[in-house]
Each structure stands twice: as structure tokens, then as C-alpha cells.
């Protein structure tokens, strides 16, 4: 199977001094195969593994993804440095769309007020394509995330800048690389 990818501009929004942070990265895959080759649980599982492996590879193994009692943990080197702890992934799949959601439980990168409130979501949705090809809209989004790094009070002014220059930038870079590699993951289908 062959696949082409078109990335859309990021929707990061301004990092607020208080409240949740959100970001959205999107792309469109054009496939020679039916959308069902991508809109299924097997593809979402492969794509999810590819995303977590990419983080490990880009950080030269310093950041890893581990499992602990059904939760997924993003750790720096190893325990006890759990950067993010996610609840077990939740899959939703129908005929023309599917998603996997990781609800954020806690971690060093999550503020106290943000525990159990944010999520990371990978979604795919099929659309008709021209000339026998199908189009699949892919969306990776962070919703309702409260970063610890942003801080509170007086520090929030500086913390917003620090967060935007570090954690937000790293997430954006990793996600855009992941979306670029997704065409390969779809082609391997």
C-alpha cells in the first residue's frame, strides 16, 4: 500500500497563566487502500506503539515508556522519575473513525490541580477521496493539560515562557515527526 501525507498547521494557542493548555496537530493521509486499513484498532495500536517508540528514540533512550499495573508511564531514565502517568488506553472504533485516548493521571510534569483531568488523544477519521483513493484525517491532541512547569502566582509569568520554550516545543516536534512517519505505519498495514 502507498500513502501520502499532508500536514496541517499546528493549533497551539497561547499558553495561559492559569487554566488548561491544549494543542492540536493534524494531517491528512491519502491511501490507495480502503480507509478500513487505517480506521481499525490494529492500526491504532501500531500507531500508538510507534509514537511511544519515537519518544524513546528521539531522547536517545533517556525517556522511556513503561507499564505499571495497567497504566502507561513516561519516565526519565527510570523510576522514580515518572514524568507522566496515564490511565490504560481507551480505544473507540466505528466504521469511519477511531481513536485511542490516554487520560493523564499524574506525574512530575502535571500540576496538582491537573491530576486526572487532561488527556492525549490520537484520532483517525475516513473521508472519501478522488480517483479511487481514500483520505484519512489524523489528529493528535492534548486537552485540558495543567503543566507543573508553568507554575503559579508570580512565577507563572516566567513559567509560561519556560513551558512554551521547552515542554510544549518538545511535544510539538515529537508529534509532527510522528505524523510524518505515520504514512510509513499505514503503508506497512
Amino acid at each position: 500500500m502507498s500513502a501520502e501525507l499532508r500536514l496541517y498547521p499546528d493549533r497551539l494557542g497561547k499558553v495561559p497563566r492559569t487554566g488548561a493548555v491544549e494543542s492540536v496537530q493534524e494531517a491528512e493521509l491519502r491511501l490507495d487502500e480502503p480507509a478500513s486499513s487505517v480506521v481499525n484498532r490494529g492500526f491504532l495500536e501500531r500507531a500508538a506503539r510507534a509514537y511511544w517508540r519515537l519518544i524513546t528514540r528521539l531522547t536517545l533512550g533517556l525517556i522511556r515508556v513503561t507499564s505499571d499495573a495497567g497504566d502507561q508511564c513516561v519516565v526519565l531514565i527510570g523510576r522514580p522519575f515518572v514524568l507522566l502517568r496515564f490511565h490504560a488506553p481507551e480505544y473507540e472504533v466505528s466504521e469511519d473513525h477511531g481513536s485511542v485516548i490516554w487520560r493523564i493521571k499524574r506525574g512530575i510534569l502535571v500540576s496538582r490541580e491537573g491530576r486526572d483531568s487532561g488527556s492525549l488523544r490520537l484520532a483517525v477519521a475516513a473521508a472519501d477521496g478522488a480517483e479511487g483513493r481514500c483520505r484519512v484525517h489524523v489528529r493528535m491532541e492534548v486537552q485540558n493539560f495543567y503543566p507543573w512547569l508553568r507554575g503559579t502566582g508570580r512565577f507563572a509569568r516566567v513559567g509560561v515562557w519556560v513551558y512554551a520554550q521547552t515542554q510544549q516545543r518538545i511535544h510539538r516536534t515529537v508529534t509532527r515527526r510522528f505524523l510524518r512517519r505515520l504514512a510509513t505505519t499505514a503503508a506497512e498495514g
Side-chain angles (χ1 to χ4, degrees):
M1 165 179 18
S2 70
E4 296 175 22
L5 179 78
R6 187 180 102 206
L7 288 172
Y8 295 140
D10 291 340
R11 291 191 328 211
L12 297 174
K14 187 174 178 172
V15 179
R17 288 188 188 176
T18 61
V21 173
E22 297 182 358
S23 74
V24 175
Q25 286 78 33
E26 298 175 287
E28 181 179 285
L29 273 174
R30 293 184 187 124
L31 306 169
D32 290 334
E33 300 291 322
S36 61
S37 66
V38 176
V39 182
N40 62 62
R41 184 173 172 135
F43 174 78
L44 288 169
E45 289 172 346
R46 285 192 315 278
R49 283 191 304 271
Y51 178 75
W52 298 120
R53 275 193 317 266
L54 181 62
I55 291 172
T56 301
R57 192 164 68 239
L58 289 176
T59 62
L60 304 175
L62 292 175
I63 296 177
R64 300 177 185 145
V65 178
T66 63
S67 293
D68 181 30
D71 293 346
Q72 265 185 294
C73 301
V74 177
V75 299
L76 176 63
I77 302 169
R79 297 195 177 278
F81 304 113
V82 178
L83 301 175
L84 293 165
R85 177 183 288 270
F86 296 93
H87 292 279
E90 301 167 21
Y91 291 89
E92 296 175 7
V93 180
S94 71
E95 186 175 314
D96 62 348
H97 67 276
S99 68
V100 56
I101 300 169
W102 296 272
R103 300 203 185 280
I104 301 170
K105 201 173 204 177
R106 64 180 179 272
I108 294 170
L109 298 179
V110 181
S111 72
R112 183 177 306 278
E113 66 188 302
R115 292 180 182 166
D116 281 315
S117 64
S119 65
L120 173 65
R121 179 175 182 249
L122 169 62
V124 294
D128 292 332
E131 303 170 12
R133 302 187 88 191
C134 78
R135 294 180 301 129
V136 177
H137 184 256
V138 182
R139 179 181 177 109
M140 187 70 127
E141 60 188 332
V142 173
Q143 295 180 324
N144 208 33
F145 176 63
Y146 288 78
W148 172 83
L149 194 55
R150 180 186 56 201
T152 59
R154 288 182 169 176
F155 181 74
R157 183 176 174 154
V158 174
V160 163
W161 182 85
V162 171
Y163 171 80
Q165 300 306 312
T166 57
Q167 191 175 344
Q168 186 181 51
R169 192 171 282 194
I170 291 166
H171 170 74
R172 179 184 180 270
T173 300
V174 168
T175 302
R176 290 186 70 76
R177 284 207 185 160
F178 164 70
L179 290 172
R180 284 186 190 101
R181 291 180 180 266
L182 202 55
T184 304
T185 303
E188 293 171 351

